Amino acid sequence: MNATSRTVIVTGANGAIGRAIARQLAKQPAWKICLVGRSEKKLQRTAEEIARLTNNPQISVGLVDLSRKSAIKNFATNWQGPLHVLINNAACTPRDRRETPEGIELQFATNVLGYYWMVDAFRDILRQSAPARVVNVASYWAGGLNIDDLEFRRKNYHNDEAYRQSKQANRMLTVLQAEMLRPDGISVNACHPGDVNSVLSNNLGFGGSQTPDDGAATPVWLATSEAVTEESGKYFERRRAVHCRFTEDCAAIEKLYQICKSY
């Protein structure tokens, strides 16, 4: 893929890992990178920095609140040209329970529904651009999914529990999306990026032992490598496919998908 022009969206591009992903991808010859996030000022600074460091002038920005379906739909409707790679990377970990203007718990809206809505909104464009790829940046820090209380309306909110739940959901939905999009020539894989010191990890009470470039390595590899051309519906850590126990319960995956579809 490296020798061919590609257009890529990186969500959460203002975060530590998102910036590193975008910068590494911008080093690919002829690749166009669209940085997506909520702060126009930060996005513009990041775009200018990446263009300067990589000598790639084809860096654009997309101002999108990824917790809101209407914003994502509007972004996709106004998209022009092909899209070959979608990297769902945006995530948040607020320490207190917050809701979007639509009344959806913010972490679920951003970390789970945001991924789902981006894939759904760009499906036709990805299909027209095929072969195409979706990379869902999940985490090995995942588990405890309560499918009957995804928004913490019954039990007390805890941001670490909400985050782990959202990353499990990312990994579960990846399997179903892979099956749905396979006929369209679109692969969908999930990965753990790495333990990077960031605002997100600090909110969870962690630091990080890896650099942002280390954290970006596996998502970038899934976006660019010939080695994973035929891979779809899998979960990766350190550029290796790892068995994911969350993908074994087909009934739970289908239920989660139907819930997401209802929003």
PDB file of all heavy atoms in Angstrom, residues 215-234:
ATOM      1  N   GLY A 215       3.100   3.598  20.934  1.00  0.00           N
ATOM      2  CA  GLY A 215       1.667   3.360  20.967  1.00  0.00           C
ATOM      3  C   GLY A 215       1.017   3.382  19.602  1.00  0.00           C
ATOM      4  O   GLY A 215       0.022   2.697  19.365  1.00  0.00           O
ATOM      5  N   ALA A 216       1.581   4.170  18.691  1.00  0.00           N
ATOM      6  CA  ALA A 216       1.021   4.287  17.348  1.00  0.00           C
ATOM      7  C   ALA A 216       1.426   3.136  16.430  1.00  0.00           C
ATOM      8  O   ALA A 216       0.809   2.942  15.374  1.00  0.00           O
ATOM      9  CB  ALA A 216       1.467   5.608  16.722  1.00  0.00           C
ATOM     10  N   ALA A 217       2.444   2.374  16.809  1.00  0.00           N
ATOM     11  CA  ALA A 217       3.039   1.394  15.901  1.00  0.00           C
ATOM     12  C   ALA A 217       2.043   0.352  15.383  1.00  0.00           C
ATOM     13  O   ALA A 217       1.985   0.077  14.177  1.00  0.00           O
ATOM     14  CB  ALA A 217       4.219   0.701  16.588  1.00  0.00           C
ATOM     15  N   THR A 218       1.258  -0.233  16.272  1.00  0.00           N
ATOM     16  CA  THR A 218       0.331  -1.279  15.827  1.00  0.00           C
ATOM     17  C   THR A 218      -0.831  -0.724  15.004  1.00  0.00           C
ATOM     18  O   THR A 218      -1.157  -1.294  13.952  1.00  0.00           O
ATOM     19  CB  THR A 218      -0.179  -2.096  17.036  1.00  0.00           C
ATOM     20  OG1 THR A 218       0.935  -2.737  17.662  1.00  0.00           O
ATOM     21  CG2 THR A 218      -1.171  -3.167  16.589  1.00  0.00           C
ATOM     22  N   PRO A 219      -1.478   0.381  15.412  1.00  0.00           N
ATOM     23  CA  PRO A 219      -2.506   0.948  14.535  1.00  0.00           C
ATOM     24  C   PRO A 219      -1.988   1.318  13.146  1.00  0.00           C
ATOM     25  O   PRO A 219      -2.665   1.068  12.141  1.00  0.00           O
ATOM     26  CB  PRO A 219      -2.973   2.198  15.299  1.00  0.00           C
ATOM     27  CG  PRO A 219      -2.677   1.908  16.720  1.00  0.00           C
ATOM     28  CD  PRO A 219      -1.416   1.089  16.711  1.00  0.00           C
ATOM     29  N   VAL A 220      -0.795   1.897  13.088  1.00  0.00           N
ATOM     30  CA  VAL A 220      -0.226   2.274  11.790  1.00  0.00           C
ATOM     31  C   VAL A 220       0.075   1.029  10.956  1.00  0.00           C
ATOM     32  O   VAL A 220      -0.172   0.990   9.748  1.00  0.00           O
ATOM     33  CB  VAL A 220       1.046   3.132  11.981  1.00  0.00           C
ATOM     34  CG1 VAL A 220       1.803   3.293  10.663  1.00  0.00           C
ATOM     35  CG2 VAL A 220       0.675   4.489  12.560  1.00  0.00           C
ATOM     36  N   TRP A 221       0.595   0.006  11.594  1.00  0.00           N
ATOM     37  CA  TRP A 221       0.880  -1.259  10.906  1.00  0.00           C
ATOM     38  C   TRP A 221      -0.407  -1.854  10.325  1.00  0.00           C
ATOM     39  O   TRP A 221      -0.429  -2.304   9.174  1.00  0.00           O
ATOM     40  CB  TRP A 221       1.537  -2.220  11.883  1.00  0.00           C
ATOM     41  CG  TRP A 221       1.832  -3.583  11.358  1.00  0.00           C
ATOM     42  CD1 TRP A 221       2.819  -3.930  10.476  1.00  0.00           C
ATOM     43  CD2 TRP A 221       1.163  -4.804  11.708  1.00  0.00           C
ATOM     44  NE1 TRP A 221       2.799  -5.297  10.253  1.00  0.00           N
ATOM     45  CE2 TRP A 221       1.791  -5.837  10.994  1.00  0.00           C
ATOM     46  CE3 TRP A 221       0.101  -5.100  12.558  1.00  0.00           C
ATOM     47  CZ2 TRP A 221       1.373  -7.179  11.104  1.00  0.00           C
ATOM     48  CZ3 TRP A 221      -0.319  -6.413  12.673  1.00  0.00           C
ATOM     49  CH2 TRP A 221       0.317  -7.437  11.945  1.00  0.00           C
ATOM     50  N   LEU A 222      -1.484  -1.833  11.097  1.00  0.00           N
ATOM     51  CA  LEU A 222      -2.754  -2.361  10.595  1.00  0.00           C
ATOM     52  C   LEU A 222      -3.299  -1.516   9.446  1.00  0.00           C
ATOM     53  O   LEU A 222      -4.003  -2.025   8.574  1.00  0.00           O
ATOM     54  CB  LEU A 222      -3.784  -2.411  11.725  1.00  0.00           C
ATOM     55  CG  LEU A 222      -3.616  -3.533  12.741  1.00  0.00           C
ATOM     56  CD1 LEU A 222      -4.584  -3.349  13.909  1.00  0.00           C
ATOM     57  CD2 LEU A 222      -3.820  -4.894  12.091  1.00  0.00           C
ATOM     58  N   ALA A 223      -2.963  -0.241   9.429  1.00  0.00           N
ATOM     59  CA  ALA A 223      -3.434   0.645   8.364  1.00  0.00           C
ATOM     60  C   ALA A 223      -2.630   0.518   7.086  1.00  0.00           C
ATOM     61  O   ALA A 223      -3.136   0.810   5.994  1.00  0.00           O
ATOM     62  CB  ALA A 223      -3.391   2.096   8.850  1.00  0.00           C
ATOM     63  N   THR A 224      -1.381   0.053   7.194  1.00  0.00           N
ATOM     64  CA  THR A 224      -0.477   0.131   6.040  1.00  0.00           C
ATOM     65  C   THR A 224       0.120  -1.192   5.566  1.00  0.00           C
ATOM     66  O   THR A 224       0.510  -1.314   4.409  1.00  0.00           O
ATOM     67  CB  THR A 224       0.708   1.067   6.370  1.00  0.00           C
ATOM     68  OG1 THR A 224       1.461   0.521   7.460  1.00  0.00           O
ATOM     69  CG2 THR A 224       0.227   2.461   6.724  1.00  0.00           C
ATOM     70  N   SER A 225       0.218  -2.168   6.425  1.00  0.00           N
ATOM     71  CA  SER A 225       1.025  -3.346   6.107  1.00  0.00           C
ATOM     72  C   SER A 225       0.354  -4.289   5.112  1.00  0.00           C
ATOM     73  O   SER A 225      -0.844  -4.584   5.207  1.00  0.00           O
ATOM     74  CB  SER A 225       1.353  -4.124   7.385  1.00  0.00           C
ATOM     75  OG  SER A 225       2.053  -5.307   7.072  1.00  0.00           O
ATOM     76  N   GLU A 226       1.159  -4.793   4.189  1.00  0.00           N
ATOM     77  CA  GLU A 226       0.698  -5.832   3.264  1.00  0.00           C
ATOM     78  C   GLU A 226       0.408  -7.129   4.015  1.00  0.00           C
ATOM     79  O   GLU A 226      -0.393  -7.952   3.570  1.00  0.00           O
ATOM     80  CB  GLU A 226       1.777  -6.088   2.202  1.00  0.00           C
ATOM     81  CG  GLU A 226       2.092  -4.904   1.310  1.00  0.00           C
ATOM     82  CD  GLU A 226       1.098  -4.737   0.177  1.00  0.00           C
ATOM     83  OE1 GLU A 226       0.193  -5.584   0.079  1.00  0.00           O
ATOM     84  OE2 GLU A 226       1.223  -3.763  -0.586  1.00  0.00           O
ATOM     85  N   ALA A 227       1.049  -7.316   5.165  1.00  0.00           N
ATOM     86  CA  ALA A 227       0.922  -8.568   5.909  1.00  0.00           C
ATOM     87  C   ALA A 227      -0.489  -8.808   6.428  1.00  0.00           C
ATOM     88  O   ALA A 227      -0.853  -9.943   6.739  1.00  0.00           O
ATOM     89  CB  ALA A 227       1.909  -8.583   7.080  1.00  0.00           C
ATOM     90  N   VAL A 228      -1.290  -7.744   6.552  1.00  0.00           N
ATOM     91  CA  VAL A 228      -2.643  -7.912   7.083  1.00  0.00           C
ATOM     92  C   VAL A 228      -3.720  -7.647   6.034  1.00  0.00           C
ATOM     93  O   VAL A 228      -4.879  -7.421   6.367  1.00  0.00           O
ATOM     94  CB  VAL A 228      -2.863  -6.998   8.311  1.00  0.00           C
ATOM     95  CG1 VAL A 228      -2.022  -7.456   9.479  1.00  0.00           C
ATOM     96  CG2 VAL A 228      -2.547  -5.542   7.977  1.00  0.00           C
ATOM     97  N   THR A 229      -3.347  -7.723   4.777  1.00  0.00           N
ATOM     98  CA  THR A 229      -4.300  -7.466   3.699  1.00  0.00           C
ATOM     99  C   THR A 229      -5.523  -8.369   3.788  1.00  0.00           C
ATOM    100  O   THR A 229      -6.651  -7.938   3.539  1.00  0.00           O
ATOM    101  CB  THR A 229      -3.621  -7.647   2.330  1.00  0.00           C
ATOM    102  OG1 THR A 229      -2.525  -6.732   2.224  1.00  0.00           O
ATOM    103  CG2 THR A 229      -4.594  -7.394   1.192  1.00  0.00           C
ATOM    104  N   GLU A 230      -5.312  -9.620   4.149  1.00  0.00           N
ATOM    105  CA  GLU A 230      -6.409 -10.592   4.200  1.00  0.00           C
ATOM    106  C   GLU A 230      -6.995 -10.756   5.596  1.00  0.00           C
ATOM    107  O   GLU A 230      -7.904 -11.569   5.799  1.00  0.00           O
ATOM    108  CB  GLU A 230      -5.919 -11.953   3.695  1.00  0.00           C
ATOM    109  CG  GLU A 230      -5.335 -11.935   2.291  1.00  0.00           C
ATOM    110  CD  GLU A 230      -6.344 -11.477   1.244  1.00  0.00           C
ATOM    111  OE1 GLU A 230      -7.537 -11.818   1.403  1.00  0.00           O
ATOM    112  OE2 GLU A 230      -5.951 -10.773   0.298  1.00  0.00           O
ATOM    113  N   GLU A 231      -6.496 -10.022   6.578  1.00  0.00           N
ATOM    114  CA  GLU A 231      -6.949 -10.182   7.952  1.00  0.00           C
ATOM    115  C   GLU A 231      -8.159  -9.285   8.225  1.00  0.00           C
ATOM    116  O   GLU A 231      -8.192  -8.119   7.827  1.00  0.00           O
ATOM    117  CB  GLU A 231      -5.831  -9.828   8.937  1.00  0.00           C
ATOM    118  CG  GLU A 231      -4.558 -10.624   8.747  1.00  0.00           C
ATOM    119  CD  GLU A 231      -4.676 -12.051   9.258  1.00  0.00           C
ATOM    120  OE1 GLU A 231      -5.794 -12.492   9.597  1.00  0.00           O
ATOM    121  OE2 GLU A 231      -3.651 -12.730   9.328  1.00  0.00           O
ATOM    122  N   SER A 232      -9.147  -9.821   8.926  1.00  0.00           N
ATOM    123  CA  SER A 232     -10.296  -9.021   9.318  1.00  0.00           C
ATOM    124  C   SER A 232     -11.000  -9.691  10.492  1.00  0.00           C
ATOM    125  O   SER A 232     -11.007 -10.918  10.618  1.00  0.00           O
ATOM    126  CB  SER A 232     -11.274  -8.855   8.147  1.00  0.00           C
ATOM    127  OG  SER A 232     -12.228  -7.844   8.410  1.00  0.00           O
ATOM    128  N   GLY A 233     -11.559  -8.860  11.361  1.00  0.00           N
ATOM    129  CA  GLY A 233     -12.280  -9.374  12.515  1.00  0.00           C
ATOM    130  C   GLY A 233     -11.390  -9.862  13.628  1.00  0.00           C
ATOM    131  O   GLY A 233     -11.827 -10.636  14.482  1.00  0.00           O
ATOM    132  N   LYS A 234     -10.143  -9.388  13.661  1.00  0.00           N
ATOM    133  CA  LYS A 234      -9.195  -9.868  14.665  1.00  0.00           C
ATOM    134  C   LYS A 234      -8.761  -8.747  15.612  1.00  0.00           C
ATOM    135  O   LYS A 234      -8.954  -7.570  15.338  1.00  0.00           O
ATOM    136  CB  LYS A 234      -7.972 -10.493  13.983  1.00  0.00           C
ATOM    137  CG  LYS A 234      -8.313 -11.753  13.195  1.00  0.00           C
ATOM    138  CD  LYS A 234      -7.064 -12.416  12.644  1.00  0.00           C
ATOM    139  CE  LYS A 234      -7.419 -13.712  11.903  1.00  0.00           C
ATOM    140  NZ  LYS A 234      -6.218 -14.377  11.353  1.00  0.00           N
TER     141      LYS A 234
END
